[in-house]
Amino acid sequence: MEIDQDQSLSEIVSVTTEITKDIDKNIKGKEVKGVEEVEEIEEIEEIEGEVVEGEEEDTCYIHDNQYVLILLPSGNIKVVKLQKDKKISLGKFGVFHTNDIIGKPFGHSYEIHDRDKIKIIRNVAFREVDETDANNKETIDDPSKQKLSYEDIEQLKKDGLEGQDIIKKVVESHSTFNKKTEYSKAKYIKRKEAKFSRVFTPVRPTLYSVWEYFHTKNPSKIREMRIDSLSQMLTLANVRAYSKMLVIDDTQGLLISGVLERLGGYGVVIGIHDGENHNFDIMRYMNFSKKIYNSLRILSWQQVFKEESQAPFNYQNESKLSEKELKFYHRKKANYERIDSTRELLFKGGFDGLLIASQYQPESILETFIPYLRGSRPIVIYHINKEVLMNTCVHMRISRIYLNPTITESWLRGYQVLPGRTHPSMSTSGGGGYLLKATYIIIDDNNNNNSSSSLSSTNINIIDNEKNMEIDNNNIIKDDNVNNNVVDDNNVDDNVDDNIDDKVDLEKISSKRAKLNKED
């Protein structure tokens, strides 16, 4: 389409919209993809089943029936589920109505006032700290420097002063506040804000924010996996849209949540869990859409073996069931069909990667799921102890089907980034676990047999040639020995002749001597 300069603004906008639709249509039509990739994507789209089409919810705004992370003034995080016409208690920081923040964007900070009302406050940006001649030489941590007592502060709260007003009074009543350096003043105010401020900030649940909450609260629940280890797993496994992934997850669903977020609803993930019911608790805090949830299939360890067949379903006449019984029957039937289709999908194979973060030995897991991988596909294993991965690495190096097994250690250090105060964090986690990465390859036994037979025949020919050479060498040695014997015989004959000649000469000499004696 061409745009004329004489067209009006509305006509230009409509033309631009049509061009954008054509571009989106071409992208969705997958005209630029190869034939094999198109077939693979179509197969995945068939597996995904019913996907809700239409506009998805805007994740930048807070919605009803949604999990939200509340950042408190103390720096702690609280997870709440918002529902209309409800109140959320933040402990000593106050109470607010959910209707006041539903529909508002994430990231705004609110201050609680008049018990349960909130107002938006302006976020203070990072500012440069002015250098002064002040120092902390005369600063002593003495409670007597603060003129306001605990009773005075409580009285201020009863009088209606809240948050920033109380902090301002506390700062003004400190006798040595002006003698502090600018850095010390900022730290002092920050401590008082954590104690008296009533400001909170709703934070959108992302993979990082949810990980940070669980890693701070209970790191053993996610097997002490750090965010850098998780990101490396997703990168090494080449997790992307339109891929089929196998995930063995004992991190309460943290690893599966990362995979689902990468796929964005385009692909298939089979998650393996321990026990009858899955424990992917973290996944519900991510507020995934139905399209993303539909790309996840779940099986327990008891359902991944072909020998353990599923008990046949007892189909009934639905017309004879009551409303309550029919509801239970439909739920049970759907669960049976879901497990049956997921098992069929697993046994069909053709997966693009295997990610493992489990309490079980990795060797046994590999033995179970390796047959379902495609060739030249990545395998990534996480464990908090390197000894477990070292045994698995030795197992992989002995086997012929794993290429370049490598163990790496994750290391991360956080930094405080403030103008004039940027430095590494004074405390950090001791370790982020270890990763074992390898590539699964398929070995063609037929080609190996042919090559081995050709090698064996070649070796036989070489051995025969060597034997023939040995025989020839032996014959040559025998001929040399015969010649040597002939030479020796000739030498013996010459010696005999010489001895005979010597005897003749002696006889002549002796006869002459005898004649001379007679004449005398």
Side-chain angles (χ1 to χ4, degrees), residues 50 53 81 87 101 125 147 246 284 411 460 467 488:
E50 297 181 359
E53 298 292 342
K81 186 175 183 180
K87 286 185 177 182
I101 65 172
K147 298 178 182 180
L246 268 172
R284 63 192 176 102
W411 192 86
I460 291 172
K467 288 182 178 180
D488 293 339

Side-chain angles (χ1 to χ4, degrees), residues 136-151:
N136 296 328
K137 182 178 180 180
E138 299 180 0
T139 303
I140 301 174
D141 189 9
D142 187 0
S144 62
K145 302 294 182 181
Q146 178 57 253
K147 298 178 182 180
L148 284 178
S149 64
Y150 175 77
E151 291 76 12

Side-chain angles (χ1 to χ4, degrees), residues 282-325:
I282 294 178
M283 192 170 58
R284 63 192 176 102
Y285 297 114
M286 296 293 294
N287 298 326
F288 286 136
S289 63
K290 188 175 180 181
K291 181 178 181 180
I292 294 179
Y293 273 118
N294 285 342
S295 63
L296 174 64
R297 305 295 182 90
I298 299 175
L299 287 177
S300 67
W301 273 107
Q302 292 79 10
Q303 297 165 346
V304 300
F305 301 102
K306 292 183 179 181
E307 297 80 10
E308 300 292 333
S309 60
Q310 191 177 192
F313 183 74
N314 184 19
Y315 291 94
Q316 301 179 13
N317 189 359
E318 298 182 5
S319 60
K320 297 182 179 180
L321 299 177
S322 62
E323 184 177 355
K324 185 177 180 180
E325 292 175 343

